Amino acid sequence: MPASVIVGLQWGDEGKGKTTDFLAEQVSTVVRYQGGDNAGHTIVIGDDTFKLHLVPSGVLYGHITPIIGPGVVVNPATLIREFDGLISRGIDISKVRVSHAAHLILPHHVALDKARESALAGDKVGTTQRGIGPAYEDRAARLGLRVEDLLDPASTAARLARVLPEKRALLDALGATDYAEAVDADAVAALIAAWGERLRPHIADTNDLVQRAYARKEHLLFEGAQGAMLDLDHGSYPFVTSSHPIAGGATTGGGIAPLQIDEVMGVMKAYATRVGSGPFVTELTDAIGERIAVTGHEVGTTTGRRRRVGWNDAVPLRYAVELNGVSSIMLNKLDVLSGIPEILLCVAYEIDGKRVDRWPTSSAELARAKAIYEKFSGWDQEITNVRAMADLPENARRYVTALEEIAGAPIVLLSVGPERTQTIERAWRPLRHAKR
Ligand code: IMP
């Protein structure tokens, strides 16, 4: 049985939660490998809607071990709140495991994220203000506290006493207010002790769990948060997140080795969205954009911010497929485009009068890029009840086929509604190792 990675091919919010949920029945373990509570998964099962930020969506299945891997940054307050929410709805969270090596998001990280964003004034990244960047900074600076430190409150308090004065000075220099408690060593130490008691049964060496499940030939699913175009190194820097959502991130952040990965399923929407600042060549600011945003409920799960909406863009799509080594694709939210008379697909950019097919290496060039569009006729029919590609309107099939050709990877799952069953299964997924 394979190890599969699920990655977003756009700027996040591609519907990876639905993909994981759809595949969940056949997997034993779901591993989150990067990001933190900046992510948001919405899963709809019948009349129930679950919004998860940190806990892998596999938690909704009793047979799955949901793992938060070492590459994730964990805000214990959010995790505990999410546990409580799930428990109150009758979901068993006892199998959730959190890596001892995952870094903690502490109150001062959240305060710093907010303070930096305010200080940036007109150049904001538009972060989710969850402390993600500052927590990863401390990890790289070897100043961070890890989940294992929750179990040793005495020595953790001593380390906090060394770190917090520096954070206080930084917050002060950034003109932050209202941060006294976030840098109060006693207050934070008390939080840590309480979090440790609550999370103790869930803390584990998750690399060992992953490798033992792999040795038992179970099917593991590595669930990326955000999307390839928000990758710290490969996205549109600096308008990116501070981790590696691409498939390679599963190795460093999930505890799986590169040659153990059999399959990379890329997830994309039938159109594009982006939250926060940064270039978005195909952005729609007209009534069609508004219509897609409303029909597609394009509001952030984490921040409640309205997502920016645009046409699909082949330039980042081809780049993301290459970068992730995508072997199959799930295309989500095709139903949202029903009733739009003409659908545009950006096939290349025009930059300074020249046609460009590759994702630009310079942010300045990207800012000058104009979309070159191919036009597709739309379809009027409601498609939410369609369950086979052959039953889709011809114009919808044409559009899907064009996306598939551009991506150069088969679209094997196609979503026509939020519910788990509103999915067209075209073929079973081609496993990379089976092809060799
Ligand atoms: P951060 O991850 O909170 O530091 O935010 C950095 C950038 O990534 C901002 O543009 C956010 O809007 C974006 N971002 C972070 N998480 C998500 C997500 O789950 N979906 C979409 N955008 C996200």
Side-chain angles (χ1 to χ4, degrees), residues 11-14 16 32 35-41 53 113 117 124-134 136 225-227 230 238-243 273-278 300-303 305 307-308:
W11 288 271
D13 310 312
E14 298 92 349
K16 296 178 293 295
R32 264 285 302 272
D37 58 344
N38 49 350
H41 285 338
H53 300 282
D113 197 358
E117 280 287 276
K124 290 186 200 322
V125 174
T127 74
T128 59
Q129 308 207 347
R130 295 297 190 272
I132 306 295
Y136 278 119
Q226 290 85 45
L230 286 174
F239 303 104
V240 292
T241 191
S242 299
S243 65
T273 60
R274 172 159 207 173
V275 194
S277 323
T301 317
T302 301
T303 57
R305 286 183 290 181
R307 296 176 185 140
R308 297 156 71 194

Side-chain angles (χ1 to χ4, degrees), residues 115-436:
R116 284 231 176 86
E117 280 287 276
S118 329
L120 280 171
D123 298 321
K124 290 186 200 322
V125 174
T127 74
T128 59
Q129 308 207 347
R130 295 297 190 272
I132 306 295
Y136 278 119
E137 281 171 42
D138 275 0
R139 181 177 82 156
R142 288 150 299 176
L143 284 175
L145 294 181
R146 312 202 300 176
V147 165
E148 63 176 347
D149 296 319
L150 295 175
L151 301 180
D152 187 1
S155 72
T156 302
R159 283 170 59 201
L160 271 174
R162 282 198 299 276
V163 168
L164 290 181
E166 186 185 304
K167 304 298 176 190
R168 188 181 297 121
L170 200 50
L171 282 160
D172 205 30
L174 286 164
T177 50
D178 216 16
Y179 60 83
E181 211 159 308
V183 292
D184 177 330
D186 291 338
V188 181
L191 281 177
I192 283 182
W195 290 336
E197 277 321 298
R198 175 72 195 269
L199 295 177
R200 183 182 295 276
H202 299 278
I203 300 173
D205 174 356
T206 61
N207 287 358
D208 184 49
L209 296 178
V210 163
Q211 289 300 329
R212 279 196 282 139
Y214 187 83
R216 288 194 300 269
K217 301 196 186 309
E218 292 174 8
H219 188 161
L220 293 112
L221 202 68
F222 293 82
E223 176 180 58
Q226 290 85 45
M229 303 315 293
L230 286 174
D231 187 278
L232 179 60
D233 288 328
H234 307 287
S236 46
Y237 191 88
F239 303 104
V240 292
T241 191
S242 299
S243 65
H244 297 290
I246 61 166
T251 64
T252 54
I256 191 88
L259 292 182
Q260 291 177 319
I261 297 170
D262 299 277
E263 177 193 35
V264 177
M265 182 177 274
V267 185
M268 63 185 286
K269 281 192 287 215
Y271 51 91
T273 60
R274 172 159 207 173
V275 194
S277 323
F280 189 4
V281 180
T282 59
E283 184 163 12
L284 282 165
T285 48
D286 59 4
I288 295 202
E290 178 68 15
R291 174 188 172 144
I292 294 175
V294 171
T295 320
H297 305 291
E298 294 299 347
V299 175
T301 317
T302 301
T303 57
R305 286 183 290 181
R306 165 64 75 87
R307 296 176 185 140
R308 297 156 71 194
V309 169
W311 296 119
N312 233 324
D313 187 344
V315 181
L317 175 60
R318 281 190 292 256
Y319 174 68
V321 165
E322 256 174 39
L323 200 58
N324 288 291
V326 165
S327 49
S328 59
I329 292 178
M330 178 160 189
L331 178 68
N332 283 323
K333 291 198 166 179
L334 186 64
D335 54 302
V336 173
L337 298 185
S338 295
I340 297 178
E342 189 170 61
I343 292 162
L344 270 55
L345 172 60
C346 171
V347 289
Y349 295 158
E350 188 198 305
I351 303 176
D352 305 332
K354 291 201 188 81
R355 183 185 167 107
V356 174
D357 293 294
R358 277 200 64 79
W359 180 247
T361 51
S362 125
S363 315
E365 270 187 12
L366 185 59
R368 295 198 301 278
K370 292 194 195 79
I372 300 174
Y373 285 114
E374 199 172 300
K375 292 180 178 166
F376 291 80
S377 301
W379 58 91
D380 283 329
Q381 300 93 315
E382 175 72 42
I383 60 169
T384 48
N385 292 323
V386 174
R387 296 290 176 272
M389 178 77 172
D391 297 333
L392 280 176
E394 193 183 346
N395 287 344
R397 287 206 306 273
R398 279 212 183 103
Y399 178 62
V400 171
T401 307
L403 284 176
E404 191 168 55
E405 276 168 13
I406 281 165
I411 295 175
V412 297
L413 295 172
L414 223 154
S415 168
V416 290
E419 226 277 316
R420 190 187 280 171
T421 56
Q422 291 178 302
T423 307
I424 297 175
E425 264 183 86
R426 286 185 68 199
W428 198 234
R429 319 194 299 290
L431 291 179
R432 184 176 302 276
H433 67 156
K435 277 193 277 177
R436 287 191 177 148

